[in-house]
Amino acid sequence: MSVPASNAGWQKRSLAAVWHPCTQMQRAFTVPPLPIARGEGPWLIDQEGQRYFDATSSWWVNLFGHADAGINDAIKRQLDTLPHVMLAGCTHAPAVELAERLSALTGGVLGHAFYASDGASAVEIALKMSFHFWRNQGRADKREFVCLKHSYHGETLGALSVTDVAIFRDTYDPLLMRAHLAASPDARQAGPNETAADVATRAAADMRRLLSERHEHIAAVIVEPLIQCAAGMAMHDPSYLQALRQLCDEFGVHLIADEIAVGCGRTGTFFACEQAGIWPDFVCLSKGITAGYLPLSLVLTRDAVFEAFLDEDIARGFLHSHSYTGNALACTAALAVLDRFEQEGVLAANRERSQLLAEALAPLRGDPRIAHFRQQGTIFAFDVLEAYAPGRFAENFHLAGRERGLLIRPIGRTVYLMPPYVLDAPLAAWLGARVIETLDAVCARSTTESHADRAPDPTVA
Ligand SMILES: *Cc1c(COP(=O)(O)O)cnc(C)c1O
């Protein structure tokens, strides 16, 4: 088949052959996907040469820009050496070094790494491992899990069972395990005279009630530390994580930190948990760990958990496996990411980058059209008030952004930025200005839109 040199040509072929994720495909015929031809730093370039700033890091995965020479070189060298070998019965240097270096980043507290490919698989592994740990201890009755309101942990059946986002979950509810829902510490719930820490204290009290009642049956609590991203960048006070750690210790329950979105420096520290000064029993990592180049996920856990599976009986071992577990190319990309953090002072540079973006977005503070302007590390978000957010707000904002060279996807009425770690002063100023312009354009439109257009918003994440 000949290759059409236009966006329209690729859009037509894509809609005829590709079933796109997180998309009502009927709507995609009206709002077709953007055909990207190339990536260059933070820019994505379509088939017709238009450039778009990747303001959400391609679903939160990209760290240092697209087609980065350093990451590319590392992958190319590994490609010519060993692309992949199974990790059962074999091992290889990138998998070993990555496990060692990640463990070192936890001060050796989480001494073992178990590999998989996608974030949801890492969540499945953490849930199964926690249950199996208790079973090996003669506590097979500990088989329940606790997640937070508005949590998101992925969309395979186990991960969806600990997810509380209606649009992803409700249809499949009949297929899911029953998890306990505990209050979210989302700081937006603070009353007039309350702080984020007060909300955290209240949410921790709710968790205490639940654990004191059910701890004999509960294997683990799973949490997204500091930011519930898919809930709409709901941020909370680090004291909540300290309270959780203490409660889990008190009641003999595992703490699983899903750092799939918030890990790798997004919140200002390499692991979000560092800001609370705690270590969980399991950390799930994926997304940014390969800089957004290759699928890789992993679960870090304590040596005491690892040792509870050692036995002559094969069934007491953790037999979970995926074909591409510990893929050598993906592990190599992850090692290149860790090199960058070590050698280039990424976290310190990000503090400056975020400061620049905060200045560029300063006009939005106190803007009457928005509420809850918030920031944690490299992530910025605000909620557009309903009166200013017409039907299909997220889609309208996305399309208005595209017209201005901005690739951005609000979650409902929450507009957020999770840019790759590349901002300098001119780029931060440009980005801030385009976001404000896009908001002005979309909100201006709201007054002229008719009620017939107020259909439910199909763009959810
Ligand atoms: C994206 C995400 C997942 C799922 O990862 P996939 O690679 O999409 O399966 C799980 N938890 C959190 C917090 C995420 O943001």
Side-chain angles (χ1 to χ4, degrees):
M1 209 184 279
S2 71
V3 178
S6 68
N7 285 348
W10 282 109
Q11 286 169 331
K12 191 157 169 263
R13 283 172 65 180
S14 193
L15 292 172
V18 180
W19 195 335
H20 291 268
C22 206
T23 303
Q24 170 46 269
M25 290 304 292
Q26 179 161 304
R27 185 68 188 161
F29 288 95
T30 308
V31 183
L34 191 59
I36 300 301
R38 291 187 301 118
E40 213 180 86
W43 302 98
L44 292 165
I45 300 151
D46 73 14
Q47 293 287 345
E48 295 173 359
Q50 290 293 326
R51 295 158 71 84
Y52 307 89
F53 184 88
D54 190 355
T56 57
S57 296
S58 285
W59 254 351
W60 320 342
V61 301
N62 190 283
L63 288 194
F64 304 114
H66 299 274
D68 174 85
I71 308 279
N72 283 7
D73 283 348
I75 295 171
K76 285 175 191 165
R77 274 197 305 278
Q78 186 62 35
L79 185 62
D80 287 331
T81 313
L82 174 71
H84 180 74
V85 63
M86 64 183 169
L87 207 57
C90 297
T91 194
H92 56 78
V96 175
E97 285 174 19
L98 182 58
E100 288 173 351
R101 288 176 66 180
L102 287 170
S103 166
L105 286 177
T106 71
V109 173
L110 303 174
H112 276 81
F114 194 98
Y115 289 107
S117 320
D118 285 284
S121 321
V123 170
E124 301 283 342
I125 288 163
L127 299 176
K128 283 176 71 179
M129 227 178 227
S130 172
F131 163 75
H132 199 164
F133 169 92
W134 293 116
R135 192 174 189 279
N136 282 351
Q137 308 273 2
R139 299 293 312 273
D141 50 332
K142 282 170 85 73
R143 44 168 298 224
E144 297 171 8
F145 298 102
V146 182
C147 60
L148 302 191
K149 266 189 118 46
H150 311 304
S151 57
Y152 179 90
H153 297 289
E155 293 167 59
T156 53
L157 294 179
L160 200 53
S161 295
V162 288
T163 288
D164 182 44
V165 178
I167 190 85
F168 300 128
R169 182 190 161 108
D170 283 2
T171 304
Y172 306 103
D173 186 75
L175 304 181
L176 304 180
M177 295 186 294
R178 304 291 117 197
H180 300 284
L181 267 185
S184 164
D186 180 353
R188 289 176 297 182
Q189 300 167 96
N193 295 314
E194 274 190 321
T195 62
D198 294 331
V199 181
T201 303
R202 243 191 291 132
D206 188 56
M207 184 66 79
R208 170 175 285 283
R209 259 191 305 281
L210 184 56
L211 292 187
S212 57
E213 210 173 284
R214 288 299 295 177
H215 65 97
E216 288 182 357
H217 301 278
I218 290 171
V221 173
I222 184 165
V223 64
E224 297 155 86
L226 297 188
I227 313 176
Q228 294 181 289
C229 294
M233 302 299 151
M235 300 180 181
H236 60 252
D237 194 80
S239 62
Y240 179 72
L241 301 172
Q242 289 157 355
L244 258 193
R245 176 69 277 177
Q246 204 252 316
L247 288 168
C248 287
D249 287 342
E250 182 179 336
F251 290 104
V253 165
H254 285 143
L255 179 57
I256 302 171
D258 176 351
E259 297 227 9
I260 290 165
V262 296
C264 303
R266 292 284 185 202
T267 68
T269 43
F270 187 84
F271 295 105
C273 283
E274 291 173 59
Q275 295 187 43
I278 60 128
W279 290 111
D281 304 295
F282 302 88
V283 168
C284 301
L285 275 186
S286 188
K287 292 205 164 109
I289 190 63
T290 63
Y293 285 57
L294 290 161
L296 179 74
S297 66
L298 52 94
V299 177
L300 301 173
T301 191
R302 294 171 187 265
D303 291 338
V305 171
F306 171 78
E307 282 154 16
F309 288 76
L310 302 177
D311 200 272
E312 289 301 316
D313 178 5
I314 186 163
R316 285 173 66 99
F318 192 62
L319 303 186
H320 186 103
S321 52
H322 295 286
S323 309
Y324 282 96
T325 277
N327 174 262
L329 290 171
C331 289
T332 300
L335 288 169
V337 166
L338 297 188
D339 286 345
R340 279 285 250 279
F341 274 89
E342 272 175 27
Q343 293 160 18
E344 296 182 13
V346 170
L347 296 174
N350 279 354
R351 280 193 285 279
E352 285 170 33
R353 293 179 180 121
S354 293
Q355 184 54 36
L356 293 169
L357 189 52
E359 284 160 21
L361 294 172
L364 288 176
R365 288 180 190 272
D367 187 314
R369 298 169 298 180
I370 69 169
H372 303 299
F373 184 95
R374 54 199 181 275
Q375 180 203 350
Q376 175 68 59
T378 67
I379 300 175
F380 291 76
F382 57 86
D383 304 336
V384 178
L385 299 181
E386 206 163 358
Y388 295 97
R392 296 192 197 283
F393 169 78
E395 184 184 281
N396 290 344
F397 198 96
H398 169 72
L399 291 174
R402 273 200 213 177
E403 287 168 21
R404 291 162 179 79
L406 196 59
L407 196 66
I408 191 166
R409 285 171 63 98
I411 300 172
R413 288 187 280 108
T414 298
V415 176
Y416 73 92
L417 293 168
M418 196 190 290
Y421 305 160
V422 298
L423 295 180
D424 56 14
L427 199 47
W430 179 91
L431 178 57
R434 291 299 88 76
V435 170
I436 294 168
E437 260 176 45
T438 305
L439 182 70
D440 289 343
V442 174
C443 288
R445 231 176 268 166
S446 79
T447 52
T448 57
E449 203 142 5
S450 78
H451 281 286
D453 291 324
R454 295 190 174 234
D457 197 323
T459 313
V460 291

